[in-house]
Amino acid sequence: MKNLFIIALATFVFAGAAQAQLSDPNMNCEGYLKLVASIGPTPKTGDAAIDKMAADADAKLNAYCKANPKANAMEAAQKILMGM
């Protein structure tokens, strides 16, 4: 289980284009969504399972951020990860 969490965390942080740029711990979800729009889609890794996991995490984070634009984006990402 611990290994699965580490893999999920690494996938979410490193495979997501916007996540790789989410270095400002004070960025709110509104800023995150603007960043995602400016960067484009998450790059594919070539591994279908990892790509699906990253796409699912991106979709959950985007949905959460659209519903909560003033929420802290880093905290939102952590909530999404813990729910996986």
Side-chain angles (χ1 to χ4, degrees):
M1 188 67 172
K2 182 179 178 183
N3 289 340
L4 180 60
F5 178 77
I6 292 169
I7 291 168
L9 177 62
T11 299
F12 190 67
V13 171
F14 297 116
Q19 270 308 112
Q21 298 296 319
L22 188 55
S23 59
D24 178 3
N26 297 316
M27 180 183 285
N28 64 17
C29 278
E30 183 177 28
Y32 170 80
L33 291 172
K34 287 179 184 177
L35 181 64
V36 169
S38 72
I39 292 174
T42 301
K44 301 293 183 197
T45 65
D47 183 306
I50 291 175
D51 290 343
K52 182 180 180 332
M53 190 184 312
D56 290 347
D58 286 345
K60 288 177 184 179
L61 183 56
N62 289 342
Y64 181 88
C65 281
K66 285 178 184 174
N68 303 285
K70 298 300 178 196
N72 180 286
M74 192 70 77
E75 290 174 9
Q78 290 172 348
K79 286 180 184 180
I80 299 301
L81 277 175
M82 297 309 285
M84 292 180 82

